[in-house]
Amino acid sequence: MKYVGADYHKEFVTICIQGSRGKVQEIFELPATCDGMDELIRKMEGDNWMIMGETSGYSVNLHNYLLANGINSKLVDPANLKLITASDKKTDRNDATVIATFLRLMDKGEISLSISYIVNGDQRDLRDLCRYREIAAKLKGQCHQRISAHMRIHEQHLEDDYDNLNTYKCQLMMRKAFSDDFVLMSLLDDYVYWMNRCDSIDRMFDESVYQT
């Protein structure tokens, strides 16, 4: 087994390759791009190997690219790599070497590290959809509160049968009864927009569940 420590940066990645007994075989730099990772994959062809780096904004996409190509890639919480953060000789080459060492020791069961779980592909899309659903629901709720406050201040009332703002019947009654209130109509337009956004996202969730 060969252990590859990767010190990810914006423009480049410093790579350290260690053997199964910890001997450093090679240290070099590659572009921090998919082409750079392809070069690493070609270089390691025929070897049994794994790679690890620190979780950061520079490492996630390249990590996902390696995973997509069948490479055993791991990202670790930087707080676990105390030898790097505490070192007085902090260089990219030293960092990559320490990461390779930690990977080797972890693989042999001698230390335990907190491996980051990085979502990708459909999982990332679903996570982003969940976050947007929360935003849409929050904004919809805020619009409802503003409408209620506005109508209370201006002593505007609807019959009990028209108190559900989610229904078209209620919205139509409001537009007929208070059509000359520009602010209320604008607030109602905002509410309807976010209500429709929430409904659209819910349909997307349903489609995702059905497909799985």
Side-chain angles (χ1 to χ4, degrees), residues 3-199:
Y3 301 96
V4 179
D7 188 30
Y8 293 98
H9 294 275
K10 182 178 181 179
E11 302 294 338
F12 64 91
V13 184
T14 301
I15 297 293
C16 174
I17 301 175
Q18 282 190 14
S20 59
R21 296 185 178 181
K23 181 179 180 180
V24 174
Q25 298 180 351
E26 195 172 356
I27 300 178
F28 54 92
E29 290 184 358
L30 291 172
T33 62
C34 294
D35 288 342
M37 296 303 97
D38 286 339
E39 185 177 341
L40 177 62
I41 293 171
R42 288 192 296 269
K43 183 179 184 64
M44 303 300 293
E45 186 174 0
D47 290 321
N48 187 17
W49 64 290
M50 62 176 63
I51 182 172
M52 186 173 76
E54 291 181 300
T55 305
S56 73
Y58 301 134
S59 62
V60 171
N61 288 338
L62 297 180
H63 163 75
N64 285 335
Y65 182 79
L66 289 169
L67 289 178
N69 281 275
I71 305 304
N72 185 355
S73 176
K74 304 177 187 299
L75 292 180
V76 67
D77 184 343
N80 286 176
L81 304 181
K82 295 180 180 179
L83 286 181
I84 291 179
T85 56
S87 175
D88 294 330
K89 299 179 179 179
K90 183 175 173 58
T91 68
D92 299 330
R93 294 172 66 89
N94 287 341
D95 290 354
T97 301
V98 171
I99 293 171
T101 300
F102 273 51
L103 175 60
R104 179 175 56 83
L105 294 176
M106 181 184 68
D107 186 53
K108 294 180 178 298
E110 298 181 23
I111 63 172
S112 177
L113 298 175
S114 177
I115 300 299
S116 301
Y117 175 70
I118 307 297
V119 298
N120 57 16
D122 293 338
Q123 292 175 323
R124 186 188 297 119
D125 293 340
L126 187 59
R127 180 196 62 186
D128 292 342
L129 193 62
C130 288
R131 289 177 176 173
Y132 183 60
R133 178 63 172 82
E134 292 177 1
I135 293 172
K138 181 178 180 180
L139 292 172
K140 175 187 171 185
Q142 290 175 350
C143 290
H144 193 291
Q145 292 174 355
R146 293 190 182 107
I147 289 172
S148 298
H150 182 91
M151 295 182 69
R152 184 170 58 252
I153 292 171
H154 294 276
E155 299 182 349
Q156 298 165 322
H157 305 286
L158 294 172
E159 297 178 10
D160 290 342
D161 291 341
Y162 298 91
D163 61 353
N164 185 354
L165 196 54
N166 286 328
T167 64
Y168 177 74
K169 179 177 71 171
C170 176
Q171 297 166 17
L172 183 62
M173 178 58 68
M174 286 183 62
R175 294 189 188 281
K176 289 181 177 179
F178 311 113
S179 60
D180 59 342
D181 188 333
F182 174 79
V183 173
L184 181 60
M185 294 299 99
S186 297
L187 290 172
L188 181 58
D189 288 340
D190 291 342
Y191 180 84
V192 171
Y193 173 81
W194 287 114
M195 182 187 74
N196 291 335
R197 286 284 84 195
C198 289
D199 290 344

